[in-house]
Amino acid sequence: MIRLEGVTRRYGGEVAVDNLSLEVADGEVCVLIGPSGCGKTTTLRMINRLIDPTSGHILVNGRDVMSMRPEELRRGLGYVIQSIGLFPHLTVEQNIGVVPHLLGWEKSRIAERASELLVLVGLDPAGHLGKYPRQLSGGEAQRVGVARALAADPPVLLMDEPFGAVDPLNRERLQAEFGRIQRELHKTVIFVTHDIDEAIRLADKLAIMRDGTLQQFASPEEVLNHPANKFVHDFVGADRALKRLVRVRVEDVMRSPAIVREGAEEIAYRVAAGRRRFVYVIDVNGKLLGWVDTDDITPDTNLTDAMTLIDATEASVRVDASLRDALSRMLGLGFRAIAVTDEHSRLVGEVTFTAVEGAMTEGDEHISNIAEEDAG
Ligand SMILES: Nc1ncnc2c1ncn2[C@@H]1O[C@H](COP(=O)(O)OP(=O)(O)OP(=O)(O)O)[C@@H](O)[C@H]1O
Ligand SMILES: [Mg+2]
């Protein structure tokens, strides 16, 4: 657990962090977000004791960091610094191995760990282990920085814009990977970002800062549905409804679809068609083969011929996808419903546009009240 109690840091007369209190439970991801200069990096550096607070207390697992030796403290904290900060005279492998080396790991174990971590962050070990930082692109260096922070498997991670220099495609991949790792390893994480979408996607708790002060500290749902003030309201942006969809999983809103098996009698189609607009066709293993859009048929249509064959990876969403993914897939295909499949392409449900709409508008009443209060 990490706990900040009334932490203030001044530089000369200027207050960089002002009376900040927050608590991050074990296994939780707290995302610090706010405009440039609001005190995010300063906060991380105080937790890590790279700088000391002017006043207040910081506790890591119940111990005041000021009472710990910095080396001891830092061994339990993986730190990804904003400017990446790889050692220029060390190779990628040596950079990743810095802490394991200090901990006295065998060379072979360090090499193995370095390879494993490069794969995890999406870099080919063969091509990168022997490189020096100057031979890496900004995004590659950043991913090596993440690998380095994870190297000795610390229980706590402090990550300062870890994906800031990575292109959007790899960034999404890394975010998904981060979510997956986190569900498995349950690290206690403080994650700094400028990207509100990234924050909403990854956070258990959002800490929104402005000029060194905490504006709201709450779950993303709470922030989206009940922004604490005008600043938070505006910071989150006008597309709150779309952002909410990132937090909802397809499996939470899907319904059971109308299904027929491949080669079924005409009557089975007719019965299914009476229930739903889309009748999905599956094979003996439950794999999605296609569908019939019953709006396109007349009483004379031979329904088995009316089936549209599909590529399930293109025309369905995975059960663990977000509603935002489902919506963008529906819009791309021009459908008002989409099939939901599991990892073996088996049909498990259907999500409708109406269900997506419902999830989007939840909490809107309160929002319009805030906007009006602020305007008045
Ligand atoms: N060593 C320093 N000396 C004087 N002022 C500093 C120092 N380090 C930071 N500051 C000031 O403290 C404030 C907070 O800086 P900090 O680096 O924490 O911001 P940040 O939220 O991480 O911003 P960014 O999003 O741009 O990284 C800024 O106004 C900055 O100018
Ligand atoms: Mg910073």
Side-chain angles (χ1 to χ4, degrees):
M1 188 197 65
I2 303 172
R3 193 181 158 96
L4 275 66
E5 295 174 352
V7 173
T8 295
R9 169 72 201 200
R10 285 178 214 282
Y11 287 107
E14 300 288 307
V15 184
V17 172
D18 191 2
N19 194 23
L20 178 64
S21 296
L22 53 86
E23 190 173 308
V24 186
D26 286 338
E28 234 179 37
V29 179
C30 168
V31 175
L32 276 185
I33 188 164
S36 194
C38 72
K40 305 180 294 293
T41 297
T42 304
T43 302
L44 287 195
R45 301 186 80 198
M46 287 191 288
I47 297 170
N48 201 15
R49 282 204 62 189
L50 287 166
I51 51 174
D52 290 335
T54 310
S55 59
H57 294 282
I58 298 173
L59 298 118
V60 174
N61 293 328
R63 290 178 66 193
D64 193 321
V65 297
M66 296 304 285
S67 72
M68 296 167 79
R69 285 186 303 119
E71 311 80 64
E72 180 198 1
L73 171 71
R74 284 177 207 148
R75 234 165 258 166
L77 304 174
Y79 188 31
V80 183
I81 67 176
Q82 186 169 8
S83 51
I84 306 165
L86 298 177
F87 300 111
H89 57 291
L90 299 182
T91 63
V92 166
E93 178 173 344
Q94 291 164 335
N95 262 289
I96 296 174
V98 165
V99 175
H101 181 75
L102 287 174
L103 295 172
W105 290 21
E106 299 263 334
K107 255 188 120 171
S108 59
R109 185 172 166 212
I110 296 178
E112 204 176 298
R113 181 70 177 150
S115 292
E116 175 187 307
L117 286 167
L118 281 189
V119 172
L120 191 69
V121 297
L123 291 175
D124 165 38
H128 292 95
L129 279 172
K131 279 189 173 169
Y132 286 89
R134 66 186 147 75
Q135 298 169 311
L136 301 171
S137 75
E140 287 167 351
Q142 205 162 39
R143 281 181 273 168
V144 173
V146 172
R148 182 175 61 177
L150 290 167
D153 204 15
V156 175
L157 289 172
L158 306 176
M159 309 176 88
D160 199 345
E161 304 199 27
F163 310 143
V166 178
D167 63 276
L169 208 72
N170 267 308
R171 192 174 175 133
E172 260 197 39
R173 222 181 52 79
L174 285 172
Q175 288 166 358
E177 197 58 33
F178 177 85
R180 204 188 54 70
I181 298 173
Q182 182 53 17
R183 279 194 290 279
E184 207 172 289
L185 302 180
H186 305 290
K187 306 266 182 209
T188 308
V189 185
I190 301 188
F191 187 112
V192 171
T193 181
H194 272 116
D195 178 344
I196 186 74
D197 288 311
E198 180 167 89
I200 288 168
R201 183 161 180 198
L202 300 181
D204 295 309
K205 287 277 183 60
L206 277 176
I208 303 179
M209 293 177 70
R210 176 195 199 182
D211 297 338
T213 63
L214 190 61
Q215 302 292 307
Q216 187 165 12
F217 183 53
S219 69
E221 286 81 0
E222 180 70 12
V223 169
L224 288 168
N225 294 344
H226 303 277
N229 56 39
K230 175 102 164 69
F231 173 79
V232 174
H233 174 269
D234 294 349
F235 189 80
V236 167
D239 59 341
R240 247 182 329 273
L242 277 175
K243 291 191 168 83
R244 253 177 234 138
L245 295 183
V246 175
R247 301 289 302 181
V248 186
R249 289 188 179 218
V250 159
E251 62 187 322
D252 296 330
V253 300
M254 69 187 187
R255 65 178 188 183
S256 67
I259 301 176
V260 292
R261 276 193 196 283
E262 180 185 22
E265 299 286 327
E266 178 85 6
I267 182 70
Y269 282 82
R270 294 283 172 201
V271 169
R275 286 212 298 137
R276 295 278 159 79
R277 169 165 169 193
F278 285 98
V279 176
Y280 297 96
V281 184
I282 58 173
D283 72 7
V284 285
N285 299 314
K287 267 181 83 163
L288 179 61
L289 298 174
W291 63 62
V292 176
D293 182 347
T294 58
D295 274 9
D296 291 345
I297 59 172
T298 67
D300 308 323
T301 312
N302 175 352
L303 287 178
T304 45
D305 293 342
M307 176 173 119
T308 307
L309 275 172
I310 55 147
D311 172 358
T313 54
E314 286 293 315
S316 70
V317 285
R318 282 275 296 273
V319 67
D320 58 353
S322 74
L323 274 197
R324 171 113 139 205
D325 299 332
L327 177 63
S328 77
R329 201 61 69 86
M330 276 188 232
L331 293 174
L333 295 164
F335 297 153
R336 288 188 61 87
I338 190 148
V340 181
T341 50
D342 68 10
E343 69 269 32
H344 305 296
S345 300
R346 288 182 302 222
L347 181 68
V348 294
E350 176 187 52
V351 169
T352 63
F353 188 75
T354 313
V356 174
E357 247 175 348
M360 271 203 274
T361 50
E362 220 164 90
D364 268 352
E365 206 169 313
H366 180 83
I367 300 291
S368 53
N369 289 345
I370 276 214
E372 271 165 37
E373 269 166 35
D374 284 322

